[in-house]
Amino acid sequence: MIWALAAVLHHLEGQPLAGLPLYPFAILLFLYPERIWAIATFSLAHAALLSLDLPAAANHSVLALLVDTCLLIGCGQALRTDDAGSRRRRLWENVRGPLRATVAVLYFFAVFHKLNSSFFDPAVSCATGQLAKMFELHGFPERPENVSAFAFNIPLTLIVETAILVFLLWPRFSHIGAIIGLLFHTGLGWAQFFDFSTVAFALYLFFFPWEGIQKNISGTPEWARTCFITCLVALSATSFYFQGMRGSSVILARPDWSLRADSVICALWTLMIWPILFPIFSKGEPMVAVRGWTGGGLAWLIPLIALVNGATPYLGLKTVANYSMFSNLRTEAGQTNHVLIPAGQFFLAGYQGDLARVEFVDRVPPERWPLWVRLAGGERWVRRNSRWLAEVPGARVPFMEVQRTLQLWRDIGFRNIAIAYERNGAWHTTADATRNPDLMRPLTFWERKLMAFRAVQDDGEASACRW
């Protein structure tokens, strides 16, 4: 149920209508949380919807896609068990080890990517910028001018994320790692990342023994269950009205402060999550003498894929959706700010070295979005798939990202795509990019669906904080 909640919250965060194809499957899992077929059906529907976000999906969406795949593998193996009563336990054992390893990979790279000079620079660090951004999110008119005042959050973030990983992997103290994670990700939730936080909370449960979780769940007071449902309904209604129908999150405006729907949603999310999870995490029984790394053979491909995905910046491949979220990492154009990995030392391809500076882009959108685009979120999805456009004019991005974006627009139905860019010292201008052979060079499936790139700072500048 926590896993289904995380999927629902991903859409309720800011685009509630885009989640309409998924909500029925989530409700089905809420009603039948112990049925293997309900888990498999939800995982399949969730994975199908998440695949539409590739390749520029949010990091927790990529993680969720991996987990859904692992759950589907586990469900398939569990259904082969003759004893229907033991299938839930079989599913748990089939996926427990691979999912724990996947969480370990996520936290490892979340820390490792941050070991760069820009993250330690308070003026540009995501650790200071994102903390300052919370003032705007929760109704304060302006961010603090001196973000360096939040420099304490730089070492704190690294220490806490490392502590979560170490304690989760230490069976005797895994419950301490979960509690630290609950506190840390609650803070992230108030920075409007409560969907990612809920994904993490759901995966923490795999670090606890089956019997201990069952005992703690059975002891959950009725008021906590009622609070969960009440807050979920109130959160959904708030999101649908303010984020979906009204299109504005302002509830009450004042000259120096305003009450926003974002604050109400974060408060409801906290009241929904804590009464359910804190008793499980705080009373978690040490997983000593329990085989915590059990798992079906095929399911172990999931953490391996997660490992390769996390290493892609240093392999010269994609720079989006590889757990480098808000890390200030820069590895492009023969430059790097990482303190341990030399620039280009392990590159397998030249994508990151072929940069284009885009000065102008124009296009005419289609009169009606294709069905699959509407399912993915419509215009908001299109913007999310080309975030580097926010930095035009002057956006400096790998040329393959320009190709991918323009070809995506062509496929969606954009017309009159005009662009001006500089590449390898030469300027290129075209009034119809769909007729340009360089821009329309056919991309492979991997390039279209698995690779996306961020904008790049000019050489010699600190790398700005980007999603």
Side-chain angles (χ1 to χ4, degrees):
M1 291 178 67
I2 299 298
W3 183 247
L5 173 66
V8 169
L9 289 174
H10 172 68
H11 297 286
L12 292 179
E13 175 192 358
Q15 47 179 2
L17 298 179
L20 288 176
L22 182 67
Y23 299 148
F25 297 97
I27 293 173
L28 193 66
L29 190 55
F30 282 149
L31 295 175
Y32 303 100
E34 298 183 352
R35 298 284 192 264
I36 299 297
W37 62 264
I39 298 173
T41 302
F42 171 80
S43 298
L44 184 61
H46 191 205
L49 192 59
L50 288 174
S51 66
L52 296 178
D53 282 341
L54 296 175
N59 284 276
H60 68 273
S61 295
V62 173
L63 175 63
L65 186 57
L66 292 174
V67 174
D68 283 329
T69 305
C70 192
L71 289 174
L72 285 170
I73 294 172
C75 286
Q77 294 171 330
L79 288 174
R80 293 163 54 188
T81 303
D82 295 332
D83 182 10
S86 65
R87 286 175 179 169
R88 288 183 300 145
R89 183 65 178 265
R90 176 71 185 276
L91 169 60
W92 176 267
E93 293 176 347
N94 285 336
V95 303
R96 183 185 205 175
L99 290 183
R100 292 179 69 205
T102 301
V103 172
V105 169
L106 171 71
Y107 276 103
F108 169 78
F109 279 112
V111 174
F112 188 77
H113 291 324
K114 293 184 178 74
L115 301 180
N116 64 76
S117 58
S118 297
F119 186 79
F120 287 97
D121 182 352
V124 297
S125 177
C126 290
T128 58
Q130 289 300 306
L131 191 57
K133 186 179 179 181
M134 290 179 65
F135 284 83
E136 178 184 350
L137 178 65
H138 294 291
F140 293 92
E142 295 182 0
R143 295 171 54 178
E145 293 184 3
N146 184 16
V147 295
S148 297
F150 299 109
F152 68 89
N153 200 39
I154 297 173
L156 180 63
T157 299
L158 292 172
I159 291 172
V160 170
E161 289 181 337
T162 302
I164 293 172
L165 174 60
V166 170
F167 283 118
L168 283 178
L169 293 178
W170 195 341
R172 186 177 297 275
F173 299 107
S174 56
H175 61 291
I176 295 179
I179 292 174
I180 296 174
L182 182 63
L183 291 168
F184 177 71
H185 284 288
T186 297
L188 287 183
W190 280 79
Q192 212 175 27
F193 298 116
F194 47 79
D195 47 356
F196 172 73
S197 298
T198 310
V199 168
F201 297 156
L203 295 178
Y204 287 170
L205 293 170
F206 290 96
F207 290 85
F208 292 86
W210 171 274
E211 292 77 8
I213 293 178
Q214 297 300 314
K215 182 177 70 174
N216 289 332
I217 289 177
S218 63
T220 302
E222 189 61 35
W223 69 264
R225 300 171 186 266
T226 303
C227 182
F228 181 92
I229 298 299
T230 303
C231 288
L232 178 57
V233 171
L235 188 155
S236 301
T238 302
S239 177
F240 267 93
Y241 178 71
F242 288 98
Q243 309 281 22
M245 299 169 57
R246 186 178 170 187
S248 172
S249 64
V250 178
I251 300 176
L252 179 65
R254 290 288 183 266
D256 57 344
W257 178 77
S258 61
L259 176 62
R260 306 176 71 92
D262 305 279
S263 301
V264 175
I265 289 173
C266 288
L268 290 170
W269 169 75
T270 306
L271 291 173
M272 179 173 53
I273 287 292
W274 270 73
I276 295 290
L277 290 180
F278 183 73
I280 297 177
F281 292 165
S282 62
K283 298 176 183 177
E285 299 178 8
M287 203 165 58
V288 180
V290 176
R291 290 187 63 214
W293 297 99
T294 58
L298 190 59
W300 283 104
L301 288 174
I302 301 304
L304 180 61
I305 294 172
L307 183 65
V308 173
N309 182 63
T312 50
Y314 314 107
L315 299 177
L317 304 177
K318 65 176 187 169
T319 58
V320 168
N322 46 22
Y323 329 127
S324 58
M325 57 282 191
F326 305 113
S327 67
N328 297 97
L329 181 66
R330 188 247 168 103
T331 56
E332 299 90 346
Q335 310 253 336
T336 185
N337 58 7
H338 202 276
V339 299
L340 297 177
I341 305 296
Q345 187 70 34
F346 305 104
F347 276 15
L348 301 178
Y351 298 112
Q352 294 187 29
D354 184 8
L355 300 184
R357 186 183 300 277
V358 181
E359 291 296 332
F360 172 80
V361 179
D362 194 19
R363 68 277 188 198
V364 177
E367 295 181 1
R368 183 175 175 82
W369 300 113
L371 176 61
W372 65 275
V373 175
R374 280 180 277 149
L375 288 174
E379 183 179 358
R380 188 165 183 159
W381 175 84
V382 176
R383 293 198 305 267
R384 193 167 64 244
N385 253 276
S386 51
R387 300 197 190 202
W388 59 270
L389 285 172
E391 301 187 37
V392 173
R396 195 166 174 244
V397 291
F399 185 64
M400 203 214 79
E401 179 67 11
V402 178
Q403 293 173 308
R404 185 190 68 81
T405 300
L406 299 186
Q407 291 180 32
L408 176 64
W409 289 352
R410 176 200 61 191
D411 297 340
I412 291 174
F414 278 87
R415 296 174 289 109
N416 302 334
I417 304 173
I419 185 171
Y421 63 94
E422 180 268 332
R423 180 188 180 204
N424 296 326
W427 281 96
H428 306 266
T429 304
T430 178
D432 187 359
T434 62
R435 296 180 180 274
N436 185 296
D438 285 339
L439 294 171
M440 293 297 120
R441 176 188 67 83
L443 301 179
T444 65
F445 171 83
W446 309 103
E447 292 172 327
R448 287 185 290 107
K449 296 300 294 182
L450 299 180
M451 297 178 65
F453 297 87
R454 293 187 180 92
V456 184
Q457 215 75 17
D458 285 340
D459 296 344
E461 295 183 7
S463 182
C465 179
R466 295 184 174 91
W467 70 286

